């Protein structure tokens, strides 16, 4: 019952371990049901299963990008309005538009092109400045209060999802590395299969050996198919 576990794909290794455990716990082989090696194999497989099925990132990347785009649009719309309105010197309150546009200039007209962190820092300062009484009045004069509230809401939504992503990534980094977890599973699985092989001529172990040997053969075939570019189940 020889097999090079290192040559198995991530999926095939998991499948072999799972099938080995299932066959050993089928109720037909009480001799191994509580064997320390089998219990160790179960624990190693569970750890491996947790790690290898995890994505290497939080999965929130698209949500973060969408939230960032929404706050960028809100920012750009206000900026474009102020830039156009301030040039209409014949209309009322154009001075308010000029003053507010200068506030935008102060924190960067292209802040929506900055990195997430840099944009967040600059946008926070911009919002704080626009919330000052004199600027709040100017926003009201230009009927921009709702647009400003929308910008704040979109910015806050981004901060929430960005924080969730950071937390999720931190949790993933705390998991054992996939490499070390795989090595542990390979070692325990190899020891268990060697045990079964060593005991194959003992009556109570013979049938288990043959059952597991078929499972190992299937794993070898899956490895060969994978190497040829096929996608076995």
């Amino acid at each position: 019952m020889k097999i090079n576990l290192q040559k198995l794909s991530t999926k095939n290794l998991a499948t072999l371990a799972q099938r080995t455990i299932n066959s050993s716990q089928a109720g037909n082989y009480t001799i191994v049901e509580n064997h320390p090696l089998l219990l160790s194999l179960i624990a190693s497989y569970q750890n491996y299963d947790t790690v290898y099925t995890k994505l290497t990132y939080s999965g929130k990347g698209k949500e973060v990008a969408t939230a960032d785009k929404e706050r960028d649009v809100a920012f750009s719309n206000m900026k474009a309005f102020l830039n156009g309105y301030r040039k209409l010197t014949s209309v009322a309150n154009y001075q308010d538009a000029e003053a507010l546009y200068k506030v935008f200039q102060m924190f960067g007209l292209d802040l929506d092109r900055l990195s997430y962190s840099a944009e967040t820092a600059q946008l926070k300062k911009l919002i704080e400045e626009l919330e000052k009484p004199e600027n709040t009045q100017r926003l009201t004069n230009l009927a921009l209060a709702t647009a400003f509230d929308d910008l704040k809401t979109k910015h806050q939504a981004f901060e929430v999802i960005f924080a969730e992503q950071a937390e999720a990534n931190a949790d993933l980094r705390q998991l054992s590395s996939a490499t070390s977890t795989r090595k542990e599973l390979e070692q325990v699985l190899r020891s268990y299969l060697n045990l079964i092989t060593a005991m194959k001529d003992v009556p109570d172990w013979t049938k288990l050996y043959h059952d597991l040997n078929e499972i190992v053969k299937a794993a070898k075939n899956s490895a060969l198919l994978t190497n040829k570019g096929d996608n076995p189940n």
Side-chain angles (χ1 to χ4, degrees):
M1 195 157 48
K2 295 181 179 180
I3 183 171
N4 189 335
L5 299 178
Q6 293 180 342
K7 289 186 177 182
L8 296 181
S9 68
T10 299
K11 177 182 177 182
N12 287 338
L13 177 61
T15 300
L16 173 58
Q18 183 182 45
R19 289 176 177 174
T20 297
I21 292 169
N22 289 345
S23 183
S24 299
Q25 290 187 315
N28 301 319
Y29 313 109
T30 56
I31 193 70
V32 294
E33 284 185 356
N34 293 309
H35 195 284
L37 262 181
L38 178 58
L39 298 179
S40 181
L41 175 59
I42 294 170
S44 294
Y45 168 71
Q46 289 173 342
N47 289 336
Y48 181 74
D49 184 59
T50 298
V51 174
Y52 102 89
T53 56
K54 286 282 187 181
L55 297 176
T56 56
Y57 57 96
S58 68
K60 293 182 178 291
K62 290 184 179 180
E63 294 179 57
V64 171
T66 298
D68 179 59
K69 183 177 181 180
E70 289 179 352
R71 68 173 180 172
D72 287 349
V73 170
F75 168 81
S76 297
N77 287 344
M78 282 191 68
K79 180 182 68 174
F81 177 88
L82 293 172
N83 188 35
Y85 200 99
R86 71 190 180 95
K87 296 174 182 178
L88 300 174
T89 56
S90 61
V91 300
N93 302 317
Y94 81 90
Q95 299 96 331
D96 291 327
E98 181 66 43
L100 292 176
Y101 191 74
K102 288 181 178 179
V103 174
F104 272 65
Q105 288 178 316
M106 185 187 313
F107 297 102
L109 295 176
D110 62 347
L111 67 78
D112 53 324
R113 298 181 182 179
L114 300 177
S115 66
Y116 289 158
S117 298
E119 179 178 351
T120 294
Q122 290 301 97
L123 199 51
K124 181 179 179 181
K125 293 177 181 178
L126 171 63
I127 290 172
E128 289 175 351
E129 187 68 23
L130 293 176
E131 286 180 328
K132 291 182 177 180
E134 63 272 24
N135 289 325
T136 298
Q137 185 58 53
R138 288 171 178 144
L139 290 169
T140 299
N141 293 342
L142 294 169
L144 281 176
T146 299
F148 180 50
D149 287 341
D150 183 59
L151 173 61
K152 289 193 292 184
T153 298
K154 297 294 174 54
H155 176 60
Q156 290 168 357
F158 172 83
E159 287 194 301
V160 169
I161 190 65
F162 187 77
E164 290 177 353
Q165 182 192 47
E167 181 179 354
N169 284 334
D171 289 341
L172 286 175
R173 283 192 292 272
Q174 290 174 8
L175 291 172
S176 300
S177 71
T179 300
S180 63
T181 305
R182 175 178 176 124
K183 286 182 178 179
E184 178 186 334
L185 177 60
E186 287 178 2
Q187 181 178 350
V188 178
L189 179 57
R190 186 178 298 110
S191 296
Y192 183 69
L193 293 176
N194 286 342
L195 169 67
I196 304 303
T197 301
M199 301 294 290
K200 66 179 181 179
D201 293 327
V202 177
D204 290 342
W205 296 73
T206 302
K207 190 174 188 308
L208 175 60
Y209 168 80
H210 288 301
D211 286 350
L212 295 187
N213 193 40
E214 291 302 315
I215 292 173
V216 169
K217 287 180 181 178
K220 287 181 181 178
N221 291 335
S222 294
L224 290 174
L225 290 173
T226 299
N227 290 336
K228 291 179 180 179
D230 293 330
N231 185 24
N233 293 325

